[in-house]
Amino acid sequence: MEKSSERIEKKKRPRTCIACGQESPKRALLRVVRTRDGRVVYDPTGKADGRGAYVCCDAECIKTAKKRKAFAKALNVSTDDDLYTQLETLCTGGNNE
């Protein structure tokens, strides 16, 4: 058996914003993850271990997610307002990693 010199490309599935429902590439969205110990944190790498949910980098989507308690529902854990403040800061150009 010969090894193929071609690399098999990984399927790039779009992710869905939990606020507006729009599908976008993974890198175009902000990822929030529930870690194994139950903390909910912003994941700038997109590779953190745990259950993840995505939201558009748009202040309106973040406000909608907050109003609907979308992260709490998607991640099955309570969230606090600090998370939404951090995400809004990232979208408006501040760097709060």
Side-chain angles (χ1 to χ4, degrees):
M1 273 168 84
E2 285 185 35
K3 287 188 178 182
S4 177
S5 61
E6 294 180 26
R7 294 187 104 184
I8 298 173
E9 283 192 38
K10 202 174 189 181
K11 243 185 185 178
K12 295 183 180 178
R13 297 175 300 225
R15 304 295 193 242
T16 304
C17 173
I18 61 170
C20 68
Q22 182 178 348
E23 289 186 347
S24 299
K26 183 177 178 179
R27 292 289 175 190
L29 301 171
L30 301 175
R31 182 173 189 247
V32 173
V33 65
R34 180 193 70 211
T35 61
R36 290 182 188 231
D37 60 0
R39 293 181 302 120
V40 178
V41 295
Y42 165 64
D43 175 20
T45 65
K47 297 180 181 183
D49 191 28
R51 173 83 175 159
Y54 296 85
V55 67
C56 295
C57 188
D58 175 47
E60 288 302 314
C61 280
I62 294 169
K63 288 177 186 174
T64 302
K66 182 178 180 179
K67 182 178 177 183
R68 294 181 184 170
K69 299 182 180 178
F71 283 116
K73 292 175 184 175
L75 302 175
N76 297 320
V77 68
S78 63
T79 58
D80 58 2
D81 290 342
D82 292 340
L83 172 68
Y84 298 101
T85 303
Q86 180 184 16
L87 294 175
E88 286 176 354
T89 301
L90 286 166
C91 288
T92 58
N95 193 356
N96 191 18
E97 290 184 21

